[in-house]
Amino acid sequence: MSRRTKMIERIKELMYQPKFIRNIGIVAHIDHGKTTLSDNLLAGAGMISEELAGDARSLDFDEQESARGITIDAASVSMVHKFEDEDFLINLIDTPGHVDFGGDVTRAMRAVDGAVVVVCAVEGIMPQTETVFRQALKENVRPVLFINKVDRLINELKLEPEELQNRFLKIIAEANKLIKGMAPKDKKDQWKVDVADGSVAFGSAYHNWAINIPIMQKSGINFKDIIDYCDNEKQKELAQKVPITEVLLGMVIKHLPSPLVSQEYRVPTIWDGDIETEEGQAMIKTDFDGPLAVMVTNVSIDKHAGEIATGRVYGGTIEKGQDIFLVGSHGKARTQQVGVFFGAERVNTDKVPAGNIVAITGAKGAIAGETLCNIDKKIKEFEGIEHISEPVVTVAVEAKNTKDLPKLIEALRQVSKEDPTVRVDINEETGQHLISGMGELHLEIITYRIREEKGVEIETSEPIVVYRETVAGKIDSPVEGKSPNKHNRFYITVEPLDQTVYDAITEGTIKEGRVKGKEMATTFMENGLDKDEARRVWDVYNKGVLLNMTRGIQYLDEVRELLIEGFESALDAGPIANEIAMGLKFKLVDAKLHEDAIHRGPAQVLPSIRKAIFAAIMMANPTLLEPIQKVFINTPQDYMGNATREIQNRRGQIIDMEQDGDMVAVESKVPVAEMFGFAGDIRSATEGRCLWSTENAGFERLPNELQRQIVREIRERKGLSPEPYGPDHYLG
């Protein structure tokens, strides 16, 4: 029996022993060494040759990943590791570090219970490190810390043992500060990383060695010895004595939870159902004989097998040929194959029980965030996956040949399934379709895949920035929206939403969607909404709210759903420039309704509420918001002036500057509209000597002097009249 076959057989056995399973993600800032680390872990498990580890980038299956040297898609792999004479099944997901692909990290965190946070010893904790910490801790995923590239501190920066330790202590303190700020209340102390207990490791993924306190005690190797090995170019010898696989997977097994432990505290936070029910108990106890509960975290398209849904099995067992129910989309499907990931390939196992990460073929219609269950035992769906960023850049895409139009539409549908952070607007009438993504690189990758992988010849426009609409003022008296038959009238006011409520929606403390009953009232009050208003929220949408402040209006309950529908559709394409409207607080203060239901149907209610909303916005100092990115630049002091000039020339603001030796770290924020071509410009301004990264920083008000010009440009591009209509247009 080959080693590979033996490992697959052992994986199948261990899948039924949740105590010996660890589901982990590897997360970090871009270029801090995640994929090299994953390679070494695979080599240690005998899945690739040790000579190739570090260069193979085995989990970068996509040719664009290999060409660009970055991870674009999260990749899963299952392997067996022996620790203290016991075999453990490690289900590992390697995630991207580039800010444009942060959605993959968020989705991966829903599938795992623990995360190895990789930090470069030279650069320390960077913006995207903070973001991935936030993504992990928000999903109740416990972290351990691996400080990578230690050899560079020794060989390039020539640090002494004491300086080394100070550098490490600073990184650990920053990591613990993030954990303290974001971990669940009852886990803040327990989850802190600590050199003494071995939840922090140091090493070089490239040279295949690592060390932590337990291994130091076991091997007798200390920091001084490590400096000697690095100075004398004996890192290969060091890797024989303290191999990275032993140290890291040992740390993972010892400190990160098994599904038996994690599902007890994770399930109540990601599933709203009753924990006392049969399915609730099955998930809490990781019971593979209970009702089926699978959370889909990713969907990819395989040329031969079609759609592959990756998911975490929280309860029950998913089997080949099983009929399943898709809770979110109310669809049914039959699984063709189920199995586990083995690097770039999938190994079919016929069954995958609770506590494991599964690959499912045949779950047609499933998207990331979908809940799968038995047809005869329907369960409440898991909470949706909330992505930290939203699309800010758009390109228009057209098929070069008209005959390829159906093929392009299918390719776009696949793209939006594979990556839920992409927004696709398909316009079958004009044949021009819009793809919105997280940044230039994100859109480059998507359009490349449509051309090369889906085989559709396309033409793309220059990137366009996505704006948002809001108001900067409020209106004194309510606006009246009349139905076309004049028998129904709605009176509404608008004002900017309180900042504390807006922040709570952004952070996910307040969930978007219809508010049923008064159960959310306390949360609204805790986040700054007035007591009377908190009990009257009907809907939370686009980081805005609709409140019903009326009393005793007859028939209002019968049109409530129509009013909410009209409110949401109005906010999807606002009156200023047909862009999404956000951050608004609408109050319905009065209404007059016809007593006959036939006269207050959708054709009457929808236009009247939409017109009232548009008129109200146009009377309350309508304003465009533009997307902003934080830009972090690390540059030698000699080039600092050039770097800051590059920021200021793009309407950017310098927020902070810190000096570390002869390097300067510049933190700034710049409008996304000004960031096109930045990569080339900053490289030439600093002669290629700077490191830089970006992070999305939400939306801010567009300067007054640019408002009119940008509104006109957007409206002309969309084929609308150059100037927006005034309130009278909607009130007539």
Side-chain angles (χ1 to χ4, degrees):
M1 198 189 276
S2 73
R3 184 170 179 178
R4 181 181 179 279
T5 314
K6 268 185 192 165
M7 185 181 277
I8 290 168
E9 287 308 309
R10 192 70 185 112
I11 286 173
K12 287 180 182 177
E13 290 165 15
L14 288 167
M15 277 164 50
Y16 287 89
Q17 300 175 46
K19 183 181 162 189
F20 296 105
I21 296 174
R22 297 291 182 273
N23 296 310
I24 64 163
I26 295 195
V27 296
H29 186 81
I30 190 167
D31 280 343
H32 279 200
K34 292 176 307 301
T35 303
T36 307
L37 171 61
S38 302
D39 264 9
N40 283 310
L41 299 182
L42 296 189
M47 291 171 73
I48 58 171
S49 80
E50 295 200 4
E51 288 72 43
L52 283 175
D55 294 325
R57 301 183 67 89
S58 315
L59 295 180
D60 283 354
F61 322 135
D62 185 282
E63 58 192 67
Q64 278 287 292
E65 295 184 303
S66 309
R68 292 170 187 265
I70 61 169
T71 300
I72 293 168
D73 300 318
S76 309
V77 63
S78 296
M79 56 189 167
V80 177
H81 179 70
K82 197 178 248 350
F83 177 73
E84 293 179 354
D85 296 331
E86 297 276 14
D87 279 351
F88 284 81
L89 170 57
I90 311 280
N91 296 318
L92 177 148
I93 301 183
D94 177 33
T95 67
H98 194 288
V99 65
D100 281 14
F101 308 106
D104 268 65
V105 184
T106 305
R107 295 190 291 279
M109 290 303 101
R110 182 59 65 91
V112 300
D113 305 312
V116 178
V117 181
V118 183
V119 176
C120 167
V122 179
E123 290 188 2
I125 286 185
M126 296 289 280
Q128 194 62 15
T129 322
E130 286 192 30
T131 304
V132 295
F133 254 118
R134 191 178 307 128
Q135 286 167 303
L137 292 163
K138 196 175 176 197
E139 286 287 343
N140 271 356
V141 168
R142 182 174 183 170
V144 287
L145 186 63
F146 174 55
I147 299 176
N148 190 22
K149 306 192 185 185
V150 172
D151 54 315
R152 286 187 56 199
L153 290 185
I154 298 164
N155 293 348
E156 293 173 28
L157 301 182
K158 309 285 183 200
L159 296 191
E160 295 297 318
E162 196 178 319
E163 294 172 300
L164 268 183
Q165 288 187 8
N166 288 340
R167 178 73 64 111
F168 296 153
L169 288 171
K170 188 183 172 200
I171 293 172
I172 295 161
E174 277 185 54
N176 279 330
K177 190 177 167 192
L178 293 173
I179 293 168
K180 191 177 178 190
M182 293 183 260
K185 279 180 188 156
D186 58 333
K187 303 276 190 291
K188 287 184 192 297
D189 293 332
Q190 194 185 333
W191 284 9
K192 272 188 186 166
V193 292
D194 188 353
V195 178
D197 69 9
S199 54
V200 180
F202 314 89
S204 166
Y206 186 74
H207 290 292
N208 213 348
W209 62 267
I211 194 128
N212 61 3
I213 295 290
I215 297 294
M216 281 182 176
Q217 289 163 347
K218 196 171 156 188
S219 64
I221 292 173
N222 59 28
F223 278 124
K224 193 176 176 309
D225 300 327
I226 287 168
I227 292 174
D228 291 343
Y229 278 109
C230 291
D231 280 345
N232 299 319
E233 292 183 9
K234 288 185 177 174
Q235 291 197 63
K236 268 199 169 152
E237 203 179 303
L238 184 58
Q240 297 293 320
K241 293 187 176 177
V242 283
I244 196 164
T245 312
E246 296 299 317
V247 178
L248 265 165
L249 293 184
M251 175 168 80
V252 159
I253 290 163
K254 193 162 183 285
H255 292 281
L256 296 183
S258 71
L260 279 180
V261 174
S262 75
Q263 290 197 186
E264 257 190 59
Y265 58 79
R266 286 196 75 215
V267 169
T269 59
I270 59 173
W271 187 68
D272 277 342
D274 181 357
I275 294 298
E276 298 309 315
T277 56
E278 187 190 358
E279 59 268 28
Q281 287 299 303
M283 287 192 258
I284 290 279
K285 292 171 180 166
T286 320
D287 179 1
F288 27 84
D289 292 325
L292 181 66
V294 178
M295 168 90 192
V296 176
T297 56
N298 200 23
V299 174
S300 55
I301 311 290
D302 182 295
K303 280 179 188 160
H304 311 294
E307 285 178 21
I308 312 293
T310 305
R312 166 71 178 263
V313 188
Y314 280 101
T317 300
I318 190 159
E319 301 182 29
K320 174 185 177 180
Q322 178 181 2
D323 289 325
I324 52 173
F325 182 69
L326 284 66
V327 182
S329 56
H330 303 286
K332 291 178 182 176
R334 171 170 281 198
T335 61
Q336 289 162 359
Q337 291 172 331
V338 299
V340 294
F341 288 96
F342 206 65
E345 56 182 311
R346 291 181 317 281
V347 174
N348 296 323
T349 58
D350 296 343
K351 289 180 180 183
V352 177
N356 288 279
I357 293 169
V358 63
I360 309 162
T361 315
K364 283 225 166 31
I367 56 169
E370 181 61 271
T371 301
L372 311 179
C373 64
N374 301 109
I375 282 189
D376 56 356
K377 181 73 180 171
K378 291 174 186 166
I379 68 168
K380 199 161 175 153
E381 64 183 317
F382 286 98
E383 269 200 10
I385 298 173
E386 287 179 14
H387 294 101
I388 280 181
S389 313
E390 50 188 314
V392 292
V393 181
T394 300
V395 285
V397 178
E398 288 182 37
K400 264 189 183 171
N401 305 312
T402 321
K403 66 175 176 41
D404 281 343
L405 195 55
K407 209 169 158 189
L408 172 61
I409 289 171
E410 182 51 34
L412 289 170
R413 288 198 172 121
Q414 285 184 356
V415 158
S416 62
K417 241 184 195 178
E418 290 176 283
D419 186 347
T421 53
V422 175
R423 256 180 80 139
V424 175
D425 291 317
I426 294 174
N427 187 330
E428 300 200 21
E429 287 173 24
T430 63
Q432 187 189 56
H433 314 297
L434 301 177
I435 306 175
S436 304
M438 300 294 172
E440 268 184 292
L441 177 62
H442 196 194
L443 292 176
E444 262 179 54
I445 299 292
I446 291 160
T447 49
Y448 171 86
R449 286 180 175 176
I450 292 171
R451 285 190 188 102
E452 303 302 319
E453 294 172 18
K454 319 282 186 205
V456 185
E457 278 296 303
I458 53 170
E459 287 177 341
T460 58
S461 70
E462 286 296 307
I464 308 154
V465 173
V466 175
Y467 290 85
R468 293 282 186 268
E469 303 186 12
T470 194
V471 298
K474 49 161 61 173
I475 48 178
D476 300 327
S477 52
V479 172
E480 178 188 66
K482 284 182 272 205
S483 61
N485 64 11
K486 307 286 190 287
H487 292 317
N488 305 281
R489 290 162 196 256
F490 300 100
Y491 299 86
I492 65 164
T493 64
V494 68
E495 61 192 88
L497 183 61
D498 320 54
Q499 190 62 42
T500 49
V501 183
Y502 179 88
D503 292 342
I505 299 171
T506 307
E507 287 157 15
T509 314
I510 293 174
K511 302 278 182 279
E512 296 226 346
R514 311 261 200 288
V515 177
K516 296 176 183 70
K518 297 190 172 80
E519 73 250 27
M520 283 291 291
T522 314
T523 313
F524 284 118
M525 282 191 280
E526 283 169 358
N527 288 287
L529 209 56
D530 167 83
K531 185 179 176 181
D532 192 32
E533 291 183 352
R535 302 160 71 87
R536 293 168 166 271
V537 180
W538 264 4
D539 192 28
V540 181
Y541 190 70
N542 285 354
K543 301 187 181 70
V545 295
L546 174 63
L547 308 169
N548 168 29
M549 303 305 287
T550 65
R551 290 180 194 278
I553 305 284
Q554 216 174 353
Y555 314 120
L556 190 64
D557 272 356
E558 291 173 35
V559 296
R560 173 180 172 150
E561 280 305 308
L562 291 174
L563 290 171
I564 292 173
E565 195 184 314
F567 162 71
E568 292 186 354
S569 69
L571 264 50
D572 280 337
I576 310 172
N578 227 358
E579 298 276 341
I580 289 171
M582 66 187 258
L584 299 169
K585 176 157 83 174
F586 286 97
K587 295 180 191 173
L588 178 68
V589 294
D590 199 1
K592 290 175 183 150
L593 291 160
H594 196 282
E595 60 192 30
D596 193 341
I598 204 157
H599 292 303
R600 48 170 203 266
Q604 302 301 328
V605 174
L606 291 174
S608 54
I609 190 70
R610 282 170 56 90
K611 283 179 175 178
I613 284 172
F614 286 167
I617 289 174
M618 295 313 290
M619 289 163 80
N621 192 359
T623 304
L624 272 194
L625 301 171
E626 63 176 341
I628 302 288
Q629 280 186 330
K630 279 190 180 173
V631 182
F632 303 88
I633 303 171
N634 253 5
T635 180
Q637 206 170 345
D638 297 354
Y639 297 96
M640 184 189 77
N642 294 3
T644 52
R645 204 168 303 120
E646 203 53 58
I647 294 291
Q648 284 155 345
N649 288 346
R650 295 169 181 267
R651 288 201 287 124
Q653 284 173 273
I654 308 295
I655 300 170
D656 195 14
M657 273 191 185
E658 268 184 33
Q659 198 162 337
D660 186 5
D662 64 343
M663 296 294 282
V664 178
V666 180
E667 182 184 340
S668 60
K669 57 181 187 179
V670 184
V672 170
E674 308 290 338
M675 282 294 289
F676 298 121
F678 181 74
D681 292 348
I682 193 73
R683 217 168 278 135
S684 54
T686 58
E687 294 182 16
R689 295 197 192 161
C690 81
L691 286 166
W692 66 281
S693 63
T694 60
E695 185 182 66
N696 290 332
F699 289 82
E700 288 185 9
R701 198 169 163 181
L702 184 69
N704 282 344
E705 62 273 17
L706 292 175
Q707 289 272 349
R708 195 163 177 190
Q709 173 202 336
I710 300 289
V711 168
R712 181 178 273 265
E713 281 173 17
I714 300 171
R715 291 184 69 88
E716 285 177 350
R717 190 182 77 231
K718 292 181 176 180
L720 305 167
S721 63
E723 296 291 332
Y725 296 116
D728 294 348
H729 174 81
Y730 302 106
L731 296 174

